[in-house]
Amino acid sequence: MKTEYILRKEVDLILAALTPENRLVMRVALHTGLRISDILSLRPEQLKPHFWVTESKTGKRRQVGLPEPLLSDLKRQAGKWWVFASPVDPHKHRTRQAVWKDVKRAAKLFRFPQNIAPHSARKVYAVELLKKYGDIAVVRRALNHSSDAVTLIYALADQQLQAKYSRRRGKKGRAKV
């Protein structure tokens, strides 16, 4: 099952329910659109207002920027080897599964109907970029996608979610007639 888009008010609720470390991971995801695995692989020496990341999934390089408050929060909690060190072994970084489990727990807490996971943050990022710039090419470059078709799945995720729940309400309404 694919992860789905979440509304900004839902994002805020999820963030509030996460552990502080996972909340920070998700804040980075929402601000940069990076995949969780790439965020967890950040090293303390990378933390600058603008820096390059080589995406683990694609091998493509991408420059990201962080605003000062977020950058300061990251530096404050960074470990010696990893920005998001494992609580068990500081020589390793936090796992994707740990973040996933916490996001799923938070989503269940609020009984959201959509499938919410860390990757949902990438869809929120894409939708917000498209609304801000109105240009799918800008969103495609920001997500490092190779095609507009893939990017549209992300950038129009809000409309897909709205259509999905409109169809569900319609089916429920017809059943009562």
Side-chain angles (χ1 to χ4, degrees), residues 27-71:
R27 285 177 54 208
V28 174
L30 289 162
H31 187 79
T32 65
L34 287 171
R35 290 176 186 87
I36 296 304
S37 58
D38 295 324
I39 295 167
L40 296 174
S41 298
L42 291 175
R43 299 226 178 229
E45 59 271 13
Q46 287 179 277
L47 294 178
K48 298 178 178 115
H50 296 280
F51 58 94
W52 288 91
V53 172
T54 301
E55 296 178 339
S56 59
K57 181 178 178 183
T58 64
K60 296 177 184 177
R61 283 178 43 87
R62 172 173 166 208
Q63 189 175 40
V64 295
L66 297 172
E68 180 47 44
L70 182 54
L71 185 58

Side-chain angles (χ1 to χ4, degrees), residues 94-147:
R94 178 176 295 276
T95 65
R96 290 179 303 109
Q97 293 82 358
V99 179
W100 182 89
K101 195 174 184 179
D102 199 22
V103 170
K104 287 293 195 182
R105 180 195 54 77
K108 187 176 179 179
L109 176 70
F110 294 107
R111 298 181 178 168
F112 292 134
Q114 63 269 53
N115 181 31
I116 300 170
H119 203 70
S120 298
R122 202 162 148 83
K123 293 181 179 184
V124 171
Y125 175 78
V127 167
E128 289 178 357
L129 269 188
L130 185 61
K131 285 180 181 173
K132 182 175 182 179
Y133 296 106
D135 185 350
I136 197 67
V138 170
V139 181
R140 183 180 47 77
R141 282 191 305 274
L143 293 177
N144 240 346
H145 284 157
S146 52
S147 78

Side-chain angles (χ1 to χ4, degrees), residues 42-45 75 77-85 90-92:
L42 291 175
R43 299 226 178 229
E45 59 271 13
K75 286 180 178 179
Q77 76 93 51
K80 184 175 181 181
W81 292 280
W82 302 100
V83 173
F84 296 101
H91 291 93
K92 296 180 180 179

